[in-house]
Amino acid sequence: RKKDRNVAGLLRERLPKKLQALLKQAGELGQQTGHAVYVVGGFVRDLLLKHPNFDVDLVVEGDGVAYAAELARIYGGRYKSHPKFKTAVVILPDGQRVDVATARLEYYEYPAALPTVELSSIKMDLYRRDFTVNALALHLSPERFGDLVDFFGAQRDIKDRVLRVLHSLSFVEDPTRIVRAIRFSERFGFRIGGQTDRLIKNAVRHSFFHKLSGSRVMHELRLIFEEKTPLSCLRRMQDYKLLAAIHPLLALTPSKEAVLLEVENVINWYRLLYIEPQPQVWMLYFLGLCTGLDPEQFAIIARRLNFSKRQAAEMVALRQQIRDTAQGIFNWEYHKGPPSELYFLLEPMPLEGALYLMARNPREPLQKYVSLHLTTLRHKRVEVTGNDLKALGVEAGPRYADILRRVVGAAIDGLAVCRAEQLELARRLAKGEPVADFLARQPGGDR
Ligand code: ATP
């Protein structure tokens, strides 16, 4: 057998020093305890592709949980184990996560799919994985540090830019791999291999997706929504009739596609504003995928995807809030309300809702108003504090909130711009004195 390729040089070139030291340490610990240790999966794939990826997945040919405990001890970190799966996650003091899995022969049940019986445990572990390019491992032991373990031709597939499953029962075992194939294919610009493509079509024809649990489908959908190009992934899913296979109501229609395209635009626009926090983008895409569904249909989808009662109720409420707010903004525009009214309409809305509202109304002035709120109005701060109100004899409570709200409103409308004016307004409100003449005195006060 020809000598394995060694990529220690690539590790030195591509990884932060700290991470290199961690991998060395991980290998030495394995040697001390007499177990081979490998780094596996996406980490190795991305190393060869020269994509930064610092998520370390280790596989130990031995007791992975005990190994993880020891690794945590050496670094003074924490660890959490799942004894049932013989896995653990170590969290180092600097926040670095290390996932540890156990490779053990007796742990797998693959009578039909197994080509040979004589497999090392690392080979068995890699054989369970989704695609050849994800089934690479790297030796970490000191004498073989950086040796590539490639049983399935992954290096060639990376070179040819192709995704291939490891065996023909792969999608029977786990249909979510179909969605993963599309996701990786779009992310890396890899094509899906011919045989793998036929297996996908076969899996869809035989409705493998029907028996798949909602939580697993939703998990994979969320991963899609968090990719750089979710819409192109969704289009590919549509081409394979996968969305309809999850549920007919999820099929991509032209109008959904138009909304999802705007969702993508709005997310990119917002990203470039660099305002923290950023939205949960999956939620926007999910709302887009559910465009046009009435509440009963939405409930069916929420059930299919196994949303908890609370999650489903929150989504239903958000959809309603989006609709009501859009109506509110149309009314506000019609009667030419002041900016503060727009602020109070949008202020209770989660960021995701506001952005979705923009995506749903790309060519309406409404989009401009929501963007005004997000970029400007909502960042307005008043200079009157709780202590000021306390000094005026107003304690925390509904009256307190009401006064503050009116000061904020006046500030946004340019009717109380400096601290002195805001304080005077608060004082009048606190004492129950009339404020109309005060507000009318201000430069913007003749609206
Ligand atoms: P990402 O960059 O999206 O995190 P990743 O390859 O690290 O990519 P994970 O979902 O974190 O993806 O999975 C880690 C590894 O576990 C994969 O590289 C793959 O080998 C394996 N794996 C994950 N999900 C499956 C699955 N459904 N079937 C088989 N193997 C899987």
Side-chain angles (χ1 to χ4, degrees), residues 40-43 45-46 53 55 57 128-131 133-135 174 176-177 180 183-184 187-188 216 219-220 223 227:
V40 299
F43 179 92
R45 174 198 69 215
D46 288 346
N53 178 349
D55 295 337
D57 281 309
R128 287 181 311 141
R129 291 170 188 265
D130 44 8
F131 308 106
V133 300
N134 286 340
D174 181 0
T176 61
R177 289 174 187 165
R180 294 175 63 85
R183 183 159 64 88
F184 289 127
R187 186 197 300 173
F188 299 121
R216 295 207 58 204
H219 178 74
E220 293 298 331
L223 292 178
E227 288 289 319

Side-chain angles (χ1 to χ4, degrees), residues 1-5 36-41 44 48 59 61 103 105 108 114-129 131-139 144 147-158 164-167:
R1 171 150 176 252
K2 81 172 195 289
K3 200 172 169 327
D4 293 324
R5 175 177 167 204
V37 179
Y38 307 84
V39 59
V40 299
V44 187
L48 297 190
V59 171
E61 286 184 326
L105 221 41
Y108 308 107
L114 257 189
T116 54
V117 224
E118 288 286 303
L119 292 180
S120 68
S121 11
I122 185 68
K123 188 166 187 180
M124 284 295 290
D125 180 278
L126 296 173
Y127 193 66
R128 287 181 311 141
R129 291 170 188 265
F131 308 106
T132 59
V133 300
N134 286 340
L136 278 166
L138 272 187
H139 273 281
R144 299 198 60 185
D147 275 1
L148 259 185
V149 182
D150 181 3
F151 293 114
F152 312 107
Q155 294 175 84
R156 190 191 54 225
D157 289 345
I158 287 177
R164 289 192 302 117
V165 286
L166 296 177
H167 55 82

